Amino acid sequence: MAWKKRNAFQTPVPTPEQAAVYIKPSSPFTSGNLHMGHVRDYSIGDAYARFRRARGDAVLFGFGFDAFGLPAEMAAIERGVRPADWVERCGERMLGQMRRLGFAFDYERAFYSSDESQYRWSQWLFLTLLEAGLIYRDDATVDWCDNCQTTLAALQVEDGRCWRCHEKVRLIRRPTWFLGVAPYLEENDRNLAGLENWDELSLKTQRYILGRSDGVELDLETPGGGRLTVFSPHGDAVGEARFVLLSPRHPEVDQWAAEPAVRGQLDELRSGGWERSARDASAVPVIDTGASATVPGGGELPVFVSPIVDARYGPTAALGIPAVDEADEAIAARMPRATGDSLAEAPQARSATRYRAYDFSISRQRYWGTPIPVVHCEQCGVVPVPIEDLPVQLPRDVEPTGEGNPLAERPDFLDVACPRCDAPARRETDTLDCHFDALWLWVPAAVPPTDRAEQMFTHPDLRRWLPSERLVAGNDSGGFVFDQRVVTKALRDIGPFSFLEQGEPFAGCLFHEMVIADGRKMSKHLGNVVDPDELVATHGADTVRLAVLYAAGPAKALNWTDGALRFAARFLRGLWDYTHDRIAAAAEAPHDAAAAADTAFLRERLGKWSASGLERITADLEQLQMHKAVRNVTRLLERIQDYEKRIVKRRGQLDREDYEALLEALALLARVLAPFAPHAAEQLLIDLGEPDSADLPGTWPEPAGLYDSGDAGENPAPIAQN
Ligand SMILES: [Zn+2]
Ligand SMILES: [Zn+2]
């Protein structure tokens, strides 16, 4: 293929006049198969990348595989192979699928998060955030299978039973690593107003994850003479408060649980998996501490502990106001002490904001992940591995069975000298959740592969390409993106990303909904999965791409039907036949000056139609509204055909000059089609005798030159092509 030979998609070094545009598609899991959601994602991103390239911008369009994690490990267990081999096989296959679909990635920049050269930087990031105090160790509740001697992820628990052996699982407490996001929640919130090139769908996910509540806070007195700050979204009803609800993660919760009975309940609540408990106020656990807080100006409020606070306002304390809040009403009905009088006077409150988003666990008791670079020493406790000793290598010759933790059974991995005191010590056997790898998975594509080992976070190219001009991703990526925004701010403050003043990884963002079939999610179980390979084999890549783009706007779920395919196939075939037919006819056409003069006004009109079509398609592409752009491409063909009909009606046939204008319009059409159906467009341009390929920089037509045709008798001016 000519593109590959020319290296058309290699990332260029931008000239001083060029905008450097890094377009970031979603990072696929190495599942082994592209699904239709990927096809949608990459068709949008690829159209945008080709458009920006044709406009003359320097484009980086690259990605890496999210290759660590449980799904890959489970797939490898099922097949009895090593995850390392499985992931490589899957990646190769998916890259082949991408090439067949004609996606113009810089494939030389593709990478796997499970490559040693990658995960050593995940380890670097871990140590960097650990030193900054953003990573910490705390107890968390996890599912545990006694039979398999392993912890289980939510994905591996089906109806309370182990996915592997179907025994009942139980919840245990164990030390887990957490990433702190709290210091950056407010800035993530504040920045939303300035993210102008983010579409509404992507902003909505960020707001949802933040879970912002505006209200008031006030200070109560604790029995010990201390202060307890409580929040309420109901600023005008605090005088109606009947109780206080404390999050089990509130920093001072323990001082409210001095009574052994209360202590016991709190421990049970924590180990009883309140992460999984119902958010329904009539069922959620609530503990009465037996103690009360005093309201300044008079009144006592009983203090309860319940995880419902976390689900609503984060790890804080909240006023229970049954008179105005349904959830509080439901809790009051369950708690005998929640029935006091109104407070003597409404206490003074100040305005306040709370966020529901909170720190999350980043470690898993799994083999297939980035080893956590710390060592456990009896003398020194938890000791970070020095950065110069990275990477802590993951043994790749492991064939996990799902039983136990393979890393704990490998002395060559486990036994190590303490970096601090040199005594025999043990490596951490937990690995990082692949969500952690994803925190910086948008970075490597911006660094040339040969420089990644040394300069992943310091390479000068980072200043050129970051922030990414546009992220194109599925609507389910909101959580990833939120945490990437947090970590970017942390790295700005720590130093490496100091040039990203806003701390934002993505200047623009387009989220799209998923692809469904028969109104339902595609799944093997429902038997409604559409296989992109089969579609490409039957209909060709261009038809599939065009159909996916045409079928729905990004904010709508794409309900896949053959209708869109038929439309795209008919359009491409029609355009192909029409163009070749007219090329042949033009060669035979007679020329008569008087006849040509008589239709000059129609040629001029065609020029205007072409110009306005081009303008609209350009605007659609700038907004990544590919469904509208494709519609306008098809309308342009209708206009061209209409022009021809009018001439035939007026004069019976086209003059050579009329044909020249017609072919010029068709060449324009081929150029604006190229971002969506690149293979067909490229061949049409060649057959029309166009000198420049559509993917050469600066070949996007300029509307201005199209209809300033000067004398009516002359040919319309040629399409401007820098
Ligand atoms: Zn089991
Ligand atoms: Zn030590």
Side-chain angles (χ1 to χ4, degrees):
M1 162 67 59
W3 291 329
K4 203 175 169 184
K5 234 183 281 167
R6 269 214 316 275
N7 253 337
F9 311 135
Q10 205 175 40
T11 309
V13 177
T15 63
E17 301 81 43
Q18 267 183 317
V21 178
Y22 170 21
I23 299 161
K24 167 76 178 68
S26 62
S27 302
F29 284 112
T30 38
S31 61
N33 270 307
L34 289 193
H35 54 66
M36 289 304 286
H38 292 122
V39 177
R40 185 177 203 191
D41 196 84
Y42 303 147
S43 294
I44 295 171
D46 191 51
Y48 187 57
R50 287 175 182 272
F51 164 66
R52 296 296 304 246
R53 214 176 265 142
R55 273 203 126 174
D57 300 322
V59 170
L60 162 58
F61 186 38
F63 75 99
F65 287 104
D66 198 351
F68 270 143
L70 188 63
E73 185 168 334
M74 283 166 73
I77 292 170
E78 257 170 54
R79 291 163 180 82
V81 296
R82 295 171 182 172
D85 298 338
W86 167 248
V87 156
E88 201 182 308
R89 213 184 304 157
C90 289
E92 285 302 314
R93 207 181 115 71
M94 293 166 82
L95 286 169
Q97 291 179 297
M98 291 174 190
R99 288 184 200 273
R100 280 196 292 284
L101 278 154
F103 296 132
F105 296 120
D106 183 345
Y107 288 97
E108 283 170 23
R109 290 188 181 232
F111 60 91
Y112 296 76
S113 63
S114 58
D115 285 347
E116 197 181 298
S117 57
Q118 289 294 313
Y119 70 67
R120 65 168 292 203
W121 290 105
S122 290
Q123 294 175 340
W124 172 87
L125 182 63
F126 178 92
L127 293 174
T128 302
L129 296 175
L130 180 68
E131 200 188 331
L134 287 168
I135 285 178
Y136 59 91
R137 204 158 177 251
D138 197 3
D139 271 359
T141 310
V142 289
D143 287 294
W144 172 263
C145 177
D146 282 314
N147 193 38
C148 299
Q149 285 294 299
T150 187
T151 58
L152 299 169
L155 187 67
Q156 294 173 303
V157 182
E158 295 154 2
D159 297 329
R161 288 174 185 276
C162 169
W163 70 291
R164 186 169 166 269
C165 69
H166 307 292
E167 288 296 313
K168 271 200 157 176
V169 303
R170 62 190 179 95
L171 288 153
I172 59 164
R173 300 281 295 173
R174 74 179 319 282
T176 302
W177 293 93
F178 284 86
L179 179 70
V181 297
Y184 292 108
L185 294 180
E186 205 192 320
E187 193 179 358
N188 261 16
D189 182 12
R190 204 168 52 232
N191 281 6
L192 290 179
L195 297 174
E196 286 169 7
N197 286 331
W198 286 51
D199 74 307
E200 194 40 47
L201 203 55
S202 56
L203 289 173
K204 211 168 116 189
T205 65
Q206 298 305 290
R207 281 188 220 109
Y208 176 77
I209 291 159
L210 265 170
R212 173 182 171 146
S213 296
D214 289 313
V216 297
E217 64 181 18
L218 55 131
D219 299 325
L220 309 182
E221 280 162 34
T222 69
R227 203 172 63 181
L228 176 68
T229 303
V230 292
F231 170 80
S232 175
H234 310 293
D236 47 2
V238 291
E240 300 295 313
R242 291 292 188 279
F243 57 93
V244 169
L245 276 178
L246 212 54
S247 153
R249 293 186 294 192
H250 190 282
E252 285 142 34
V253 69
D254 286 325
Q255 77 185 48
W256 294 92
E259 294 279 328
V262 176
R263 176 89 249 163
Q265 285 182 66
L266 184 61
D267 284 346
E268 202 184 308
L269 177 68
R270 283 166 160 175
S271 64
W274 53 265
E275 283 96 333
R276 274 212 252 149
S277 63
R279 287 185 180 182
D280 178 1
S282 60
V284 72
V286 182
I287 299 169
D288 187 344
T289 65
S292 297
T294 309
V295 184
E300 299 262 303
L301 297 174
V303 176
F304 309 142
V305 179
S306 175
I308 197 172
V309 183
D310 302 77
R312 302 182 78 191
Y313 317 118
T316 187
L319 285 173
I321 313 180
V324 295
D325 190 297
E326 272 180 43
D328 292 345
E329 195 186 353
I331 287 172
R334 297 164 54 197
M335 307 302 287
R337 281 214 301 144
T339 55
D341 294 327
S342 292
L343 297 172
E345 53 179 285
Q348 286 293 312
R350 51 190 186 266
S351 57
T353 297
R354 292 290 186 273
Y355 297 108
R356 188 182 54 222
Y358 193 62
D359 306 353
F360 55 91
S361 100
I362 52 171
S363 56
R364 301 288 179 264
Q365 294 76 51
R366 308 250 75 85
Y367 156 64
W368 189 238
T370 297
I372 293 178
V374 301
V375 165
H376 297 276
C377 169
E378 264 183 41
Q379 288 297 317
C380 317
V382 175
V383 183
V385 173
I387 280 180
E388 57 272 22
D389 292 349
L390 298 183
V392 175
Q393 280 176 312
L394 182 74
R396 296 184 82 82
D397 56 346
V398 171
E399 218 174 272
T401 59
E403 205 174 307
N405 180 345
L407 293 179
E409 288 147 29
R410 293 276 302 230
D412 59 335
F413 177 82
L414 201 59
D415 298 334
V416 64
C418 168
R420 201 165 287 163
C421 74
D422 218 29
R426 288 164 60 94
R427 278 199 197 287
E428 169 76 63
T429 54
D430 280 8
T431 55
L432 289 168
D433 181 21
C434 58
H435 191 87
F436 188 88
D437 301 320
L439 293 175
W440 68 284
L441 220 52
W442 52 281
V443 176
V447 181
T450 47
D451 296 340
R452 288 177 191 161
E454 297 296 326
Q455 295 179 283
M456 188 70 91
F457 284 89
T458 51
H459 198 279
D461 282 8
L462 291 167
R463 287 168 187 262
R464 170 187 298 161
W465 297 115
L466 303 187
S468 157
E469 199 273 345
R470 199 76 53 149
L471 169 71
V472 180
N475 195 21
D476 54 358
S477 316
F480 284 103
V481 172
F482 188 87
D483 299 331
Q484 287 165 343
R485 294 177 59 217
V486 166
V487 166
T488 306
K489 290 174 183 66
L491 288 174
R492 173 200 60 195
D493 293 346
I494 293 165
F497 285 171
S498 57
F499 61 95
L500 294 174
E501 279 170 38
Q502 302 298 313
E504 293 293 340
F506 309 110
C509 191
L510 179 92
F511 273 11
H512 57 83
E513 281 285 359
M514 60 170 128
V515 181
I516 56 177
D518 322 316
R520 294 198 286 182
K521 194 173 175 172
M522 287 188 188
S523 81
K524 274 184 196 157
H525 175 69
L526 292 172
N528 63 351
V529 176
V530 176
D531 177 10
D533 278 357
E534 272 174 34
L535 290 182
V536 171
T538 313
H539 304 278
D542 282 352
T543 303
V544 175
R545 295 169 53 131
L546 202 63
V548 164
L549 292 173
Y550 167 79
K556 289 209 177 107
L558 197 171
N559 196 6
W560 184 252
T561 63
D562 284 346
L565 263 182
R566 279 199 300 272
F567 165 84
R570 201 165 50 229
F571 172 76
L572 287 176
R573 201 177 314 118
L575 175 64
W576 182 266
D577 292 345
Y578 182 75
T579 304
H580 286 97
D581 208 64
R582 297 313 184 269
I583 291 171
E588 308 284 311
H591 177 48
D592 175 83
D598 184 44
T599 52
F601 76 103
L602 287 170
R603 290 195 297 279
E604 191 169 334
R605 190 180 296 170
L606 176 64
K608 283 180 184 163
W609 282 342
S610 298
S612 76
L614 171 61
E615 227 166 290
R616 249 176 255 152
I617 293 159
T618 303
D620 295 337
L621 274 158
E622 278 170 350
Q623 302 296 318
L624 290 90
Q625 298 299 307
M626 304 310 175
H627 61 302
K628 288 186 188 164
V630 170
R631 213 151 291 167
N632 280 321
V633 169
T634 65
R635 278 193 196 126
L636 183 54
L637 177 60
E638 287 163 16
R639 285 272 162 109
I640 294 170
Q641 291 170 328
D642 184 61
Y643 153 85
E644 184 184 37
K645 268 184 217 136
R646 282 166 197 256
I647 293 179
V648 171
K649 195 173 165 200
R650 188 177 177 87
R651 302 205 58 92
Q653 61 173 350
L654 276 69
D655 185 79
R656 203 176 65 217
E657 277 190 37
D658 298 324
Y659 270 117
E660 280 165 7
L662 178 87
L663 295 186
E664 214 164 279
L666 285 172
L668 172 79
L669 177 57
R671 284 201 187 277
V672 295
L673 175 67
F676 317 107
H679 309 86
E682 196 63 37
Q683 194 55 51
L684 286 172
L685 286 171
I686 292 168
D687 297 346
L688 282 161
E690 286 286 302
D692 293 327
S693 157
D695 56 82
L696 283 178
T699 51
W700 191 256
E702 295 289 338
L706 286 177
Y707 55 89
D708 54 347
S709 57
D711 291 15
E714 286 178 12
N715 285 345
I719 297 165
Q721 283 171 8
N722 303 329

